[in-house]
Amino acid sequence: MKKLSVERKTLAGEAYHYLYQQIITLKYKPGQMIYENDIAKELGISRTPVREAIHLLASEEFLAIKPQKGIQVQYISKKKVQESYRVRESLEVTAFKEVASNWEQGHDTYELAKKELLKIIAEQRFAAEHDYVDDFYQYDEVFHDKVLDICGNQTLSAIVRQVRGHVNRMRYLEFFETREMDRIIDDHDQLVSLLEKRNVKEVETLLVTHLRNVSNYYDDIMRKYPDYFNTQY
């Protein structure tokens, strides 16, 4: 019985990850109806783990369960995006500053961390050169996650990962529309250098600018994709 429970939990996690990525990368458009049976067939699993994943995404306000109709992908809320950005910025700045203040050049842990961060940037550069927007977006997430992992504050990391979900659809649209991938890569390169130099103040300044850049495109994106947004909130 325990084995069955663990297996179902794993399948639910896989279903959650799949649905989350479909929503964030706008494969499932805001307002689109999706159906439990179709998703289960597509993933080759039973409806139970799919249902669990759907309920979790509904609790996070990415999906809305419509009785007798199906499941609707929630519209993007500009207010929710702005609120989530503020929380993410505050916590992520704290994490990056802590990493900068604790960085020890020559220490095995930090030397390995630097190699991993530079490898992620190299993958981002490759994605940018080939205009692989989905891959570029994924590596952007991985870069920030890696710094959160180096910080070692699991509670902070968990909260950041949770709140930034509502930012990510807007962030994906920014990548898709602006193609400012070189700027983002340059920011990441500079952040690694500043972390290594333990330049806490400059890390904060650059990270805040880096995270806030998407707000410059809110109005343009909303004008281009009016059907994606909930105009009520």
Side-chain angles (χ1 to χ4, degrees):
M1 195 72 175
K2 186 177 180 183
K3 183 180 177 183
L4 247 165
S5 176
V6 170
E7 183 180 339
R8 193 178 76 182
K9 187 176 180 181
T10 302
L11 290 172
E14 290 174 0
Y16 174 91
H17 180 74
Y18 171 78
L19 291 171
Y20 178 85
Q21 293 301 323
Q22 294 294 97
I23 293 166
I24 297 305
T25 59
L26 302 166
K27 305 298 185 296
Y28 290 164
K29 303 288 191 289
Q32 179 180 337
M33 298 300 294
I34 59 176
Y35 302 94
E36 201 176 278
N37 280 339
D38 294 343
I39 296 163
K41 286 177 184 176
E42 190 171 348
L43 295 177
I45 60 178
S46 70
R47 291 172 57 186
T48 301
V50 171
R51 189 178 302 121
E52 291 175 6
I54 286 168
H55 279 280
L56 180 54
L57 286 161
S59 73
E60 295 174 350
E61 299 180 55
F62 288 111
L63 297 174
I65 299 169
K66 306 283 187 180
Q68 312 303 320
K69 293 182 179 179
I71 302 101
Q72 186 177 46
V73 179
Q74 290 275 34
Y75 292 98
I76 300 171
S77 161
K78 182 178 177 181
K79 181 174 184 290
K80 189 81 172 177
V81 169
Q82 291 173 327
E83 290 174 350
S84 299
Y85 250 120
R86 283 195 286 271
V87 175
R88 175 188 179 177
E89 180 186 297
S90 176
L91 294 178
E92 203 161 312
V93 164
T94 298
F96 272 69
K97 287 170 65 178
E98 189 167 330
V99 170
S101 63
N102 292 334
W103 196 283
E104 292 182 43
Q105 287 196 43
H107 191 287
D108 288 349
T109 298
Y110 291 97
E111 288 302 309
L112 177 61
K114 180 183 174 182
K115 286 180 182 177
E116 290 174 340
L117 287 168
L118 293 178
K119 183 179 178 183
I120 294 164
I121 293 170
E123 296 285 5
Q124 267 199 307
R125 190 169 284 112
F126 179 84
E129 287 169 355
H130 294 80
D131 204 30
Y132 297 155
V133 178
D134 284 13
D135 289 350
F136 187 88
Y137 156 75
Q138 293 293 340
Y139 285 116
D140 186 73
E141 293 287 280
V142 171
F143 178 86
H144 287 263
D145 280 346
K146 183 61 193 175
V147 179
L148 292 175
D149 290 341
I150 298 166
C151 174
N153 186 326
Q154 294 181 354
T155 302
L156 183 150
S157 297
I159 295 171
V160 170
R161 287 177 174 123
Q162 181 180 357
V163 300
R164 76 178 177 203
H166 286 280
V167 172
N168 285 347
R169 284 191 289 181
M170 187 72 88
R171 191 112 170 95
Y172 182 83
L173 281 170
E174 178 206 359
F175 292 161
F176 189 81
E177 287 298 314
T178 68
R179 295 297 202 275
E180 286 190 344
M181 298 180 186
D182 289 342
R183 177 191 59 77
I184 292 166
I185 291 168
D186 287 345
D187 283 355
H188 287 175
D189 264 329
Q190 288 182 57
L191 282 166
V192 173
S193 178
L194 292 170
L195 289 170
E196 188 180 19
K197 292 174 183 175
R198 304 185 67 181
N199 193 330
V200 176
K201 184 176 180 181
E202 288 300 316
V203 163
E204 178 176 7
T205 301
L206 178 55
L207 182 61
V208 168
T209 302
H210 178 74
L211 293 176
R212 288 183 183 178
N213 189 70
V214 69
S215 63
N216 297 329
Y217 303 102
Y218 278 165
D219 292 339
D220 289 341
I221 289 171
M222 290 179 73
R223 275 194 295 270
K224 186 162 185 179
Y225 299 95
D227 294 341
Y228 287 4
F229 291 86
N230 187 322
T231 57
Q232 301 303 312
Y233 64 96

